[in-house]
Amino acid sequence: MTADIGTSSPLLSLLLWLPVAGAVLCFASYRSAVLARWVALATALLVLLLSLACLTCPAGPDGWMLLTDRSWIEAFGIRYSLGMDGISLLLVILTAFLQLVAVLISWDQEKYPALLFGLLLLLEAGIIGVFLALDLVLFYLLWELMLIPTFFLIGIWGYRRRVYAAVKFFLFTLAGSLCMLLAIISLYLLHGEQTGSYTFALAALKQTQLGFGQEMLFYLCFMAAFAVKIPLFPFHSWLPDAHTEAPVAGSIDLAGLLLKTGVYGMIRFAFPLFPRAAEQSLPVLAVLALFGIFYAAWIAYLQTDIKRIVAYSSISHLGFVVLGLVAWGQTAWEGSLLLMVNHGVTTGALFIAIALVQKRTGTRELPKLGGLWKSQPNLSAFFLLFSLASLGLPGLANFAGEILVLIGTFGSHPLWAVIAVGGVLFSAVYTLRMVQCTIWGPSCEPFDRQDLGRREWLVLIPLAVLVVLLGCYPQPLLDPLQLPVSLLLRSGGLP
C-alpha cells in the first residue's frame, strides 16, 4: 500500500474477525438460548481483553501503534489495510467495553436471543472495523455493515413504533452513505488518471491533486454521511425516534458508539483528504454546532419521555464535540475526543438506568414518575450519578472533556466559547428537571418494588467507577491522544 505502512499485527485482524466468528456461532446456536448467551459473553469479553492488550503497544514516530496491510482485490487496488493509533485505540476499547455491557443487560431477552446476540457482535465488528480501516472501500463496507444489525435491532426488539424508527434510521444513513460512495469512486478514478496507480488507500488518495470545486464537492459528499451519523443539526431528526424505539442495547450502541463514527470519519477522512474545503467549512460547522447545542437542549427541556430527553441531550453534547474540532487546536481536539469517550460511557449508563426505571414503573413519562428514591434507593442513586455526569458536573466524566473544549475554543475563537457556555447551563436545566421528576416528588406506584439485582449491580458498578475515574483523572486517556492529534493537526489537513 504505502511506504509508511510496513509492519503487520494479527491483533487488529483478531479485533475485527473475532466478533464475526462469535456472531456466526450465536446464529448457529438458535436452538439454545443459553449457549448463544455464553458465546456472546465470552466473545465480548475476549474482544475487550484484546483491545486492552493494545495499550502495551508503543506508538511509532508516525503515530501508528499497530498496522496490517496486504493486497485484497489487486485488480481494483483494494487492500486489507488496518491501522491503530491513540485515537482509534480509545474508541476500540470503548466499543469493546460497551458491547460487553450491552450483552449483559440483554441477558434475559427471550425474543430470538441467538439472533439478538449475533447481531450485537456483528455490529461490534462493523464499528471496530470503521475505527481501524485505512482503505476507503474497506471503510465503506464496514460503515454499511453497521447499518444492517442496527436496523434489525430497532425493527425487531424495539417498542411500538419500531418499524417507523428503523426505516427512518435506514433511509437517513443510506442516503448519506451513497453520497460518500460516489465521492470515493470519483476520487479513485481521478487519482488513477493522475498517477497511473488506481488505489483506495487513504495515504495515497491524500496526494490527489484536486481543483477547489472538486474538493468542495467531494468534501460535502463525505460530510453528508458523517453529519447524518453524528448527527449534526439539521440532520438529526432520525436520532430521537431511533433512541425512543430501540431496545436498551440498541440505545447503548447508538449513543455510545455509532454517533462517534461520524466524528471519527471527519477527522480521519474528510479533513485530511480535503483540507482547503474543510478550512472553508469551519465557520459553517461552528454555527451548526452552536445552533445544535441550544436547539437540542431546548427541545430536550420540552420532552416528557426521559429517553427522548437523553436522546436530544446527545445531539447537544455532540455539538460540543464538533465545536472543539472546528476550533482546530490541540487542546480543543483532545477535549472533543475525550468528550466522545466520556459521553459514550455516561449516556450508555444513563440509558441502562432508564431501562431499569421503566422495567419497575412501566413508564418513561415524567408526569407518571416520581418518588423513586423511596422504593428504589440504589437504582435512584445510580440514576442521579449518571445524570449529574451527563450535565457535566465537575469531578464526573463529561466535565473534563467539555472544559477542555471550551478552553481550547476560547483560545482561538472566544465568542464561540462564550456562546457555548450557555449550552452547559441549558443542559443543567433539563437534566435537573428530569432527575427531580423521576426520583423525587410524589411517589408513583412501581410494578416491581425490588431494587437492583445481582446482574444489574454487576453492570452498573463498573460504569459508575468509570464515570468518577474519568472525571477525576482523565490523563490516561489524554496521553494516547497527544501524538495522533498533533500529527493530524500539522500534516493531516491543517487549514
Side-chain angles (χ1 to χ4, degrees):
M1 173 187 161
T2 60
D4 58 334
I5 295 182
T7 57
S8 179
S9 168
L11 262 179
L12 299 182
S13 292
L14 281 173
L15 284 169
L16 177 60
W17 290 103
L18 189 60
V20 176
V24 171
L25 289 175
C26 285
F27 294 146
S29 309
Y30 67 95
R31 293 182 184 278
S32 172
V34 174
L35 180 59
R37 290 187 183 104
W38 284 104
V39 167
L41 181 61
T43 306
L45 186 59
L46 193 53
V47 172
L48 177 60
L49 293 175
L50 285 174
S51 67
L52 292 173
C54 297
L55 287 167
T56 62
C57 302
D62 54 2
W64 296 112
M65 302 166 69
L66 293 166
L67 291 162
T68 291
D69 177 53
R70 60 178 61 91
S71 178
W72 180 17
I73 306 175
E74 193 168 353
F76 298 102
I78 301 173
R79 302 191 69 83
Y80 177 78
S81 183
L82 305 171
M84 174 183 281
D85 61 3
I87 298 171
S88 44
L89 168 68
L90 294 185
L91 293 172
V92 167
I93 293 176
L94 175 70
T95 304
F97 173 71
L98 288 183
Q99 283 304 82
L100 179 62
V101 170
V103 168
L104 285 171
I105 204 66
S106 307
W107 196 258
D108 290 334
Q109 178 61 247
E110 297 179 353
K111 183 179 180 181
Y112 311 128
L115 181 60
L116 171 71
F117 292 118
L119 290 174
L120 284 177
L121 292 177
L122 208 55
L123 179 56
E124 182 176 25
I127 296 170
I128 287 178
V130 163
F131 291 142
L132 297 179
L134 295 177
D135 180 280
L136 265 66
V137 168
L138 182 61
F139 172 76
Y140 182 79
L141 292 176
L142 293 164
W143 182 269
E144 292 299 279
L145 176 62
M146 297 189 301
L147 180 61
I148 299 168
T150 308
F151 173 80
F152 286 112
L153 283 172
I154 299 171
I156 296 176
W157 290 274
Y159 293 94
R160 186 171 55 86
R161 297 175 71 238
R162 58 185 180 274
V163 175
Y164 165 77
V167 171
K168 190 174 182 180
F169 161 78
F170 189 89
L171 292 177
F172 265 75
T173 51
L174 182 64
S177 299
L178 291 176
C179 290
M180 181 169 65
L181 177 61
L182 289 175
I184 290 173
I185 294 172
S186 302
L187 191 60
Y188 164 80
L189 293 174
L190 274 173
H191 180 83
E193 289 174 2
Q194 291 176 9
T195 65
S197 172
Y198 287 87
T199 177
F200 288 97
L202 173 63
L205 291 178
K206 281 194 288 188
Q207 310 305 319
T208 308
Q209 300 300 313
L210 299 172
F212 181 75
Q214 290 175 318
E215 189 173 325
M216 180 58 77
L217 180 61
F218 295 163
Y219 174 74
L220 290 177
C221 288
F222 271 73
M223 286 300 294
F226 302 146
V228 167
K229 195 69 70 116
I230 289 173
L232 186 66
F233 177 88
F235 307 98
H236 64 281
S237 67
W238 63 270
L239 183 68
D241 292 324
H243 268 310
T244 305
E245 302 303 325
V248 59
S251 293
I252 292 171
D253 286 338
L254 279 169
L257 302 173
L258 261 71
L259 309 191
K260 280 63 180 178
T261 60
V263 178
Y264 181 81
M266 286 174 62
I267 62 174
R268 182 69 77 201
F269 295 95
F271 288 171
L273 282 169
F274 316 109
R276 290 178 298 168
E279 179 184 10
Q280 293 298 315
S281 74
L282 295 184
V284 177
L285 289 175
V287 170
L288 295 179
L290 287 169
F291 198 88
I293 289 172
F294 286 94
Y295 171 79
W298 172 247
I299 300 299
Y301 179 76
L302 298 177
Q303 301 303 307
T304 57
D305 183 330
I306 51 178
K307 213 171 178 186
R308 288 185 78 85
I309 293 174
V310 179
Y312 278 106
S313 79
S314 291
I315 300 171
S316 185
H317 286 131
L318 267 293
F320 277 98
V321 172
V322 174
L323 183 68
L325 294 182
V326 299
W328 209 273
Q330 181 83 21
T331 302
W333 270 47
E334 289 181 12
S336 290
L337 294 167
L338 179 64
L339 181 56
M340 276 174 45
V341 175
N342 292 350
H343 174 265
V345 174
T346 55
T347 308
L350 199 47
F351 275 120
I352 292 172
I354 290 172
L356 297 179
V357 168
Q358 184 181 11
K359 182 179 177 182
R360 285 156 175 78
T361 62
T363 184
R364 301 190 310 244
E365 291 293 325
L366 287 179
K368 298 178 181 178
L369 290 169
L372 200 65
W373 193 282
K374 295 176 183 174
S375 58
Q376 317 278 336
N378 294 322
L379 172 57
S380 299
F382 281 112
F383 185 83
L384 176 62
L385 174 67
F386 299 146
S387 298
L388 294 177
S390 178
L391 71 81
L393 190 75
L396 299 178
N398 282 12
F399 174 76
E402 287 182 356
I403 196 68
L404 284 178
V405 167
L406 291 174
I407 291 172
T409 304
F410 192 85
S412 56
H413 301 85
L415 180 61
W416 295 359
V418 170
I419 295 173
V421 167
V424 179
L425 297 178
F426 268 55
S427 173
V429 171
Y430 66 73
T431 303
L432 292 177
R433 169 176 170 265
M434 177 181 72
V435 170
Q436 181 184 14
C437 295
T438 303
I439 65 177
W440 288 306
S443 298
C444 64
E445 185 60 34
F447 288 175
D448 183 357
R449 289 187 173 276
Q450 181 187 358
D451 211 337
L452 297 174
R454 280 184 298 179
R455 185 160 43 79
E456 292 164 346
W457 279 104
L458 181 65
V459 171
L460 293 174
I461 285 180
L463 289 165
V465 170
L466 271 179
V467 161
V468 176
L469 278 180
L470 294 176
C472 295
Y473 188 53
Q475 195 59 42
L477 270 65
L478 292 173
D479 288 340
L481 295 176
Q482 290 176 358
L483 179 58
V485 166
S486 172
L487 291 170
L488 280 171
L489 286 170
R490 279 194 283 123
S491 61
L494 177 66

